[in-house]
Amino acid sequence: MTVLVDPPMWPQHGRLWGHLVSDTSLEELHAFAERAGVPRRGFDRDHYDIPDERYDELVQLGAEPVGAKELVRRLRASGLRVTARERRA
């Protein structure tokens, strides 16, 4: 099981946001998010948007901290990445 989280660095709604992904399966991602109490409304096709105040807690619960580039690289390699083109379709 590998759930990854990147550092919150994207501003929106007065706070910073990071991403929570799985490099194995969406089922694994949803199960981790549910155990961590992350609301399903935070899911956006291939990741959960995570507010900065949840980052340390998610790492303590077992999410592997990685940089943003590594997170995207591993998400692409898993085949779970939803591209911008796919989002528009």
Side-chain angles (χ1 to χ4, degrees), residues 51-73:
D52 56 352
E53 65 268 10
R54 298 290 314 268
Y55 179 82
D56 290 336
E57 174 190 358
L58 294 170
V59 171
Q60 288 177 342
L61 291 172
E64 179 183 336
V66 295
K69 289 181 181 182
E70 178 68 8
L71 182 136
V72 172
R73 186 191 70 72

Side-chain angles (χ1 to χ4, degrees), residues 7-23:
M9 63 175 86
W10 291 272
Q12 189 69 277
H13 308 295
R15 60 175 27 146
L16 295 175
W17 296 82
H19 303 101
L20 185 70
V21 306
S22 170
D23 68 358

Side-chain angles (χ1 to χ4, degrees), residues 1-7 18-36 38 43 46-50 54-55 57-67 70-72 74-75 78 80:
M1 172 175 131
T2 306
V3 174
L4 312 168
V5 64
D6 65 358
H19 303 101
L20 185 70
V21 306
S22 170
D23 68 358
T24 305
S25 72
L26 292 179
E27 292 79 16
E28 173 186 60
L29 177 61
H30 292 308
F32 182 92
E34 185 175 331
R35 283 192 308 277
V38 176
F43 182 68
D46 60 5
H47 69 277
Y48 281 87
D49 292 318
I50 302 298
R54 298 290 314 268
Y55 179 82
E57 174 190 358
L58 294 170
V59 171
Q60 288 177 342
L61 291 172
E64 179 183 336
V66 295
E70 178 68 8
L71 182 136
V72 172
R74 289 174 64 179
L75 186 58
S78 74
L80 297 173

